[in-house]
Amino acid sequence: MGLDVRPAPTRRRAKAGASAPPPDRGARARLSRLDIKISPYLLISPFYLVFAVFGAFPLLFTLWMSLRDRELASGKDEFIGLRNYTELLGDSAFLNAVVNTLGMFVIATVPQLLLALLLANALNRRLRGSTLFRVGMMMPLITSTVAVAVVFTQLFDTDFGLVNWLLGLVGVDPIAWQSDRWWSWVAISVMVDWRWTGYNALIYLAAMQAIPKDLYEAAAIDGASRRRQFWQITVPMLRPTILFTAIVSTIGGLQLFTEPVLFDNGDTDGGSTGQFQTVAMYMFDSAFSNDDYGYGAAVAWMIFLLIIVFSLVNFMFIRRMGGVR
């Protein structure tokens, strides 16, 4: 048994001896480019897949159904083209529901956004317990809609409601909140405003806190009052946020359903003469109460078109209000 006195191979030699065959750089580069191109689509695809199943498909299915005369009870199902839409344009009950919806939308949305803007401006100042006030803005949102409707229905009761009692103290005669068309709109709009004003105020507050303080300091040095700073600095800087809240409020206002139904004790008639029946209530009534699913689907598509039209109107109005064309 002899002793091997040959020098051990150095690390460099060992690496050179065990080196793998040269990588295919062309294939790696192609995979890298493919990864860069495809990965973003794979990351966003779950949203679009869910939207296709639960958003686009119901929308197209409703469009297909609106072109048919379909009744579940009798099994009737036949293609009638645009007849449902032509009947809708001459349907006085549908037009009444459109007027009711637009009336409540205007009465509820405009004061709601203005009040939210003023509340946000007040909360943006230094206040004691400001966090408590800001959290309190969310309280109506975590309250059940049913509970809100029950309480407000009692408040606006014609005979025993608190509102009529308070009005009576100053000599005002009792108001028929449910039977009168205009006052029923007001009562439902108050319900909607109480629920959503705080939510919009917090959105405005978050946007206000992103406005640079330098602008206010420069305006104060130039002698601008707080009111002038609000209208000439705060409101223009909030224009994108105001646009967002206006469009979201438009979508919600034109789909108003829960509050008026609960105000009518669970009925979808909207009062004895349909004085506060909204388009969404009329759609439900047509499809499920009258078993006319084709007609109800046509009403649903009219709501969709109304939302698009009024969202575009709001978009154009707010852009022009800010001086942007």
Side-chain angles (χ1 to χ4, degrees), residues 4 7 10 16 28 92 120 153 163 174 182 191 241 251 276 283 289 322:
D4 187 0
T10 61
R28 285 189 178 182
S92 59
T153 302
V163 177
W182 165 256
M191 213 181 303
T241 309
I251 295 171
F276 56 90
M283 176 195 67
S289 302

Side-chain angles (χ1 to χ4, degrees), residues 250-315:
T250 301
I251 295 171
L254 295 179
Q255 293 180 327
L256 190 62
F257 181 79
T258 307
E259 287 84 355
V261 167
L262 294 173
F263 189 65
D264 198 20
N265 299 317
D267 292 332
T268 55
D269 298 334
S272 57
T273 59
Q275 63 269 22
F276 56 90
Q277 186 183 45
T278 63
V279 183
M281 293 165 70
Y282 187 68
M283 176 195 67
F284 185 92
D285 206 32
S286 301
F288 299 103
S289 302
N290 300 331
D291 191 25
D292 193 347
Y293 286 84
Y295 201 70
V299 177
W301 259 88
M302 293 302 288
I303 295 175
F304 179 67
L305 295 177
L306 280 173
I307 289 172
I308 290 177
V309 169
F310 279 90
S311 296
L312 288 175
V313 169
N314 277 335
F315 178 76

Side-chain angles (χ1 to χ4, degrees), residues 194-208:
W194 186 84
R195 186 167 171 78
W196 293 106
T197 300
Y199 170 79
N200 288 316
L202 288 183
I203 292 177
Y204 290 147
L205 178 62
M208 284 179 185

Side-chain angles (χ1 to χ4, degrees), residues 127-173:
L127 295 173
R128 287 186 178 179
S130 59
T131 304
L132 183 64
F133 288 121
R134 293 174 185 177
V135 173
M137 291 287 103
M138 297 300 291
M139 291 301 290
L141 270 184
I142 62 175
T143 307
S144 166
T145 308
V146 177
V148 173
V150 169
V151 170
F152 275 86
T153 302
Q154 296 297 320
L155 290 176
F156 287 107
D157 185 78
T158 303
D159 298 321
F160 306 104
L162 179 64
V163 177
N164 272 350
W165 179 75
L166 291 174
L167 291 175
L169 294 179
V170 293
V172 178
D173 293 332

